[in-house]
Amino acid sequence: MKDKNTEAKVALAPNFIREIMKEDLRTNKWGGRVVTRFPPEPNGYPHIGHAKAICIDFGLAAEFGGVCHLRFDDTNPTKEEQEYIDAIKEDVRWLGFNWGEHEYYGSDYFDQMYEWALQLIKDGKAYVDDLKPDQIRAYRGTLTEPGKESPYRNRPVEENLDLFERMKAGEFEDGSRVLRAKIDMASPNLNMRDPVMYRILKAPHPRTGDTWNIYPMYDWAHGLEDSIEKVTHSICTLEFEDHRPLYDWFLDQLDVYHPQQIEFARLNLTYTVMSKRKLLKLVEEGHVGGWGDPRMPTISGMRRRGYPPEAIRNFCERIGVAKRDSMVDVSLLEYFVREELNKHALRYMGVLRPLRVVIDNYPEDTVEELEAINNPEDPAAGTRKVPFSKVIYIEREDFREDPPRKFYRLAPGREVRLRYAYFVTCVDVVKDEKTGEITELHCTYDPATRGGDSPDGRKVKSTLHWVSAAHAMNAEVRLYDRLFTTPDPNEVEQGQDFMANLNPNSLEVLNACKIEPSLVGAKPGTRFQFERQGYLCVDPDSTHDKPVFNRTVTLRDTWAKIEKAQGGS
RNA sequence: UGGGGCGUCGUCAAGUGGUAAGACACGGGACUUUGGAUCCCGCAUUCGGAGGUUCGAAUCCUCCCGCCCCAGCCA
């Protein structure tokens, strides 16, 4: 399940949940068991924030020899879809976790929940309320004022039983009645002011069809699901902290198995948004190509972008688990992506923005097969042959007619190395007479430097990647930038929302890329490096004639930094 | 202004009375047939603030300040 090589480097830092589990094991609180659960509502695609939760739920359980249940919290048929269930399962699996037999659905427990509701009614701890939604809201009071008790609060048990049964039978309209817990309308915790347990929803459920006309609310359902599954540690995010008294109350009243709820702070990442509602908006309004768009912080988006699952796991371990709100710098995620890809991605040469170069003194009809290393970090990856000939392409940005300070690449009269090939010197620059655009370079090569070493010990300041024009394959490369222009997209001027910070240039498509022939036939999902450019991943849009690559992340770019510090150009 | 949480480097985050780990980012250097990788070095006299307890406090006490969450028949 886990790659020891990569996982080992990320030390397991202590975190408070890990400590709680250790302590519970030490005191034998749960009889030596550790059972967690990842309980997504299938109403959207999982994102990197869910990845954090998945790593905590599955990771901690595995670490302590326990199990983690994958449980779909499907209590609201108006929002949930099978498509999302499938996506969640695929993503959890892809991240490297395994729930074994433990695939559960909250809806599978609807009968048991109903029985328990009956029990609470009989005990005088729940009642059917005829108040309408807006009345319930009004009766709830405010943050500083207590609520008022509903006039229906003290209905006789028999009447409650009768009404509740008829709610179930579909006799009443949506919104006309609810079942409420009878707790305390004056509680300073609003969640305890007679929370709704069931609402009438005459909606077909993906799994239970039309057998139910009432559906349980989260607070009622969740603890029961945990209890039924004999969960030990019910881990959730901070906003549920206020719900814990209610979680505990239901289980105590029912006198059933009672897990411990533990809350941690959800993940926030710079330059992105992390709520399903906001991500849905991006999808629905067409700002991205879908939930799996490579710019999305969704797990499916990151997969298509080329992020390795190990990188995401390492990231989740490194950011830790705590209770304080935080905003993690996306560069930390990118660091783990690069780290992983550097170790495993095979290297190729590809020119994104080609500039034609003619090597004047190279024989016309000769083609040499030069040996190139596939991955300097992994000798076992071996070598390959790359064709070289008189006309090649280099990167436009690797030539400057008037090189700025510290620009080591090609310039008129300057000698550089072509990786794995020869030293070449630029002898002429050809321009378009009308536009002044550089259309072609002429160079001479030094035959003694074959392979890239000079026998006379002559040094050269830089090495360029290249592709033989006659052998190059055309490709499309999609470059991605952050989806938002500001570290915290939610920070906006009065009257605006996060959409105001959308980056209009988050996608750039390059259509005339030239790549070395070794890449022919690479399967979608294949991750590799274009030397000196970055890591790429074969996109499913690829066709036989034209591969499409997503740039996962650039290499660290020292020159870009220097150039920026020099004031650009 | 009711209740629940949280405040340690630019960003995450250890630390639980014994004198501030680590990572990313950033800056500098070495090395280099990827300006990649790798390797060195630097980077909180101080833990939201003020008092107090103590030989000793980020850790205990008091007060104050700031930030987040809660008034869905969403989860």
Side-chain angles (χ1 to χ4, degrees):
Chain A
M1 181 177 86
K2 288 186 179 179
D3 179 346
K4 283 268 171 10
N5 285 331
T6 67
E7 215 86 3
K9 274 192 83 173
V10 177
L12 262 36
N15 70 56
F16 78 101
I17 301 181
R18 184 124 58 194
E19 296 312 306
I20 289 172
M21 288 183 169
K22 266 186 207 158
E23 182 65 7
D24 288 351
L25 252 15
R26 193 183 66 77
T27 61
N28 204 35
K29 179 175 176 181
W30 305 99
R33 294 181 310 122
V34 171
V35 181
T36 60
R37 102 268 92 115
F38 174 60
E41 180 190 18
N43 67 344
Y45 280 61
H47 52 61
I48 183 76
H50 294 105
K52 175 181 179 181
I54 290 166
C55 288
I56 292 171
D57 294 333
F58 281 92
L60 251 23
E63 189 180 325
F64 292 106
V67 295
C68 179
H69 299 174
L70 175 61
R71 183 176 69 227
F72 293 96
D73 216 346
D74 55 350
T75 57
N76 186 350
T78 65
K79 292 189 176 175
E80 297 149 9
E81 294 173 25
Q82 186 61 39
E83 177 194 353
Y84 297 132
I85 292 178
D86 297 339
I88 291 164
K89 287 164 70 171
E90 181 183 4
D91 289 350
V92 172
R93 229 180 269 125
W94 179 77
L95 273 177
F97 297 104
N98 191 340
W99 55 90
E101 327 281 84
H102 304 288
E103 178 176 328
Y104 304 117
Y105 293 82
S107 56
D108 287 346
Y109 312 136
F110 282 174
D111 285 313
Q112 174 66 264
M113 291 177 191
Y114 182 77
E115 291 305 314
W116 274 329
L118 255 23
Q119 182 185 328
L120 245 40
I121 293 172
K122 288 171 187 160
D123 290 346
K125 291 168 183 166
Y127 62 98
V128 172
D129 195 350
D130 298 358
L131 254 28
K132 300 299 170 282
D134 54 317
Q135 294 175 300
I136 288 187
R137 193 179 319 121
Y139 274 65
R140 187 152 31 225
T142 69
L143 294 178
T144 52
E145 303 161 79
K148 278 192 307 186
E149 295 188 350
S150 164
Y152 305 97
R153 196 175 200 257
N154 295 307
R155 280 221 253 240
V157 169
E158 284 314 313
E159 190 181 337
N160 282 321
L161 252 15
D162 174 62
L163 255 14
F164 186 48
E165 210 161 299
R166 289 162 64 194
M167 279 170 63
K168 182 191 178 213
E171 282 189 36
F172 310 121
E173 292 312 299
D174 285 14
S176 61
R177 269 175 251 259
V178 291
L179 182 73
R180 290 231 251 174
K182 190 188 287 189
I183 307 180
D184 178 10
M185 288 307 292
S187 172
N189 180 347
L190 299 250
N191 297 121
M192 300 298 275
R193 320 244 261 228
D194 288 12
V196 173
M197 294 164 61
Y198 279 96
R199 76 285 214 181
I200 299 171
L201 236 40
K202 292 185 175 170
H205 188 283
R207 292 181 60 85
T208 62
D210 52 12
T211 67
W212 293 89
N213 295 296
I214 55 172
Y215 290 93
M217 298 289 290
Y218 169 87
D219 285 309
W220 167 242
H222 204 88
L224 305 184
E225 295 162 5
D226 286 345
S227 180
I228 291 167
E229 293 176 17
K230 296 285 186 287
V231 165
T232 55
H233 305 267
S234 179
I235 303 164
C236 61
T237 44
L238 245 34
E239 67 270 26
F240 293 105
E241 210 153 18
D242 284 336
H243 296 245
R244 193 171 64 226
L246 184 51
Y247 180 101
D248 292 336
W249 190 89
F250 282 131
L251 296 176
D252 286 343
Q253 299 309 311
L254 260 11
D255 195 25
V256 294
Y257 176 89
H258 193 153
Q260 179 185 0
Q261 177 179 303
I262 301 167
E263 310 85 9
F264 69 94
R266 63 184 334 145
L267 170 66
N268 295 296
L269 255 195
T270 53
Y271 298 99
T272 193
V273 293
M274 208 72 92
S275 91
K276 281 194 268 190
R277 201 205 97 232
K278 287 171 185 164
L279 295 176
L280 216 209
K281 187 178 161 87
L282 292 173
V283 172
E284 287 184 334
E285 293 181 1
H287 298 105
V288 295
W291 286 98
D293 185 294
R295 291 166 290 179
M296 290 283 272
T298 51
I299 296 173
S300 51
M302 292 181 171
R303 175 170 55 236
R304 186 166 178 183
R305 174 88 168 243
Y307 284 22
E310 296 81 3
I312 295 175
R313 276 191 254 125
N314 289 343
F315 168 76
C316 289
E317 179 54 40
R318 172 56 76 199
I319 56 175
V321 182
K323 297 193 71 160
R324 63 182 90 100
D325 294 315
S326 63
M327 172 84 77
V328 178
D329 195 327
V330 71
S331 67
L332 182 62
L333 212 208
E334 291 171 346
Y335 165 81
F336 284 108
V337 171
R338 289 193 182 100
E339 182 192 58
E340 188 62 30
L341 260 14
N342 176 50
K343 281 184 291 196
H344 302 297
L346 298 183
R347 275 112 267 205
Y348 293 93
M349 289 196 284
V351 176
L352 268 31
R353 298 175 178 87
L355 174 58
R356 193 178 141 92
V357 177
V358 178
I359 300 165
D360 292 340
N361 60 339
Y362 194 84
E364 198 74 43
D365 295 313
T366 301
V367 175
E368 289 184 84
E369 293 287 331
L370 301 169
E371 186 167 43
I373 294 165
N374 287 329
N375 183 355
E377 302 299 313
D378 178 16
T383 60
R384 69 184 184 289
K385 297 290 188 185
V386 185
F388 181 81
S389 62
K390 186 179 178 75
V391 181
I392 61 170
Y393 292 110
I394 65 166
E395 207 69 60
R396 289 202 94 88
E397 64 173 28
D398 281 341
F399 175 79
R400 285 291 244 287
E401 200 171 10
D402 187 16
R405 225 168 71 76
K406 291 195 175 171
F407 181 88
Y408 301 148
R409 282 110 96 145
L410 198 61
R414 190 180 281 180
E415 184 174 51
V416 299
R417 172 168 40 233
L418 294 177
R419 176 140 241 228
Y420 301 126
Y422 293 98
F423 283 13
V424 294
T425 304
C426 177
V427 295
D428 194 20
V429 180
V430 181
K431 293 180 185 175
D432 182 301
E433 284 178 11
K434 292 195 181 85
T435 64
E437 189 199 3
I438 297 170
T439 56
E440 186 176 283
L441 256 33
H442 284 265
C443 289
T444 56
Y445 85 115
D446 177 355
T449 58
R450 189 177 197 273
D453 275 313
S454 154
D456 64 8
R458 190 161 91 247
K459 297 288 181 200
V460 99
K461 292 278 263 188
S462 82
T463 301
L464 308 188
H465 60 277
W466 52 272
V467 172
S468 166
H471 305 85
M473 178 166 58
N474 291 311
E476 173 177 321
V477 173
R478 298 173 182 170
L479 307 181
Y480 301 103
D481 196 359
R482 354 207 91 145
L483 242 191
F484 292 90
T485 55
T486 49
D488 182 359
N490 293 313
E491 205 171 83
V492 290
E493 306 269 306
Q494 270 279 327
Q496 297 193 130
D497 73 352
F498 72 105
M499 297 299 289
N501 292 318
L502 202 59
N503 178 3
N505 305 311
S506 58
L507 170 64
E508 183 182 1
V509 179
L510 265 23
N511 266 305
C513 308
K514 300 289 185 180
I515 66 175
E516 65 167 85
S518 328
L519 231 21
V520 169
K523 299 275 174 297
T526 303
R527 296 182 281 254
F528 61 93
Q529 182 193 104
F530 270 157
E531 294 215 21
R532 303 208 309 128
Q533 288 289 343
Y535 297 99
L536 296 283
C537 181
V538 182
D539 191 85
D541 285 348
S542 294
T543 63
H544 184 71
D545 306 330
K546 186 150 192 186
V548 175
F549 303 132
N550 296 309
R551 186 172 68 188
T552 308
V553 64
T554 61
L555 253 29
R556 249 193 217 95
D557 192 345
T558 308
W559 165 242
K561 241 182 242 177
I562 295 169
E563 196 178 29
K564 199 177 168 190
Q566 287 182 174
S569 99

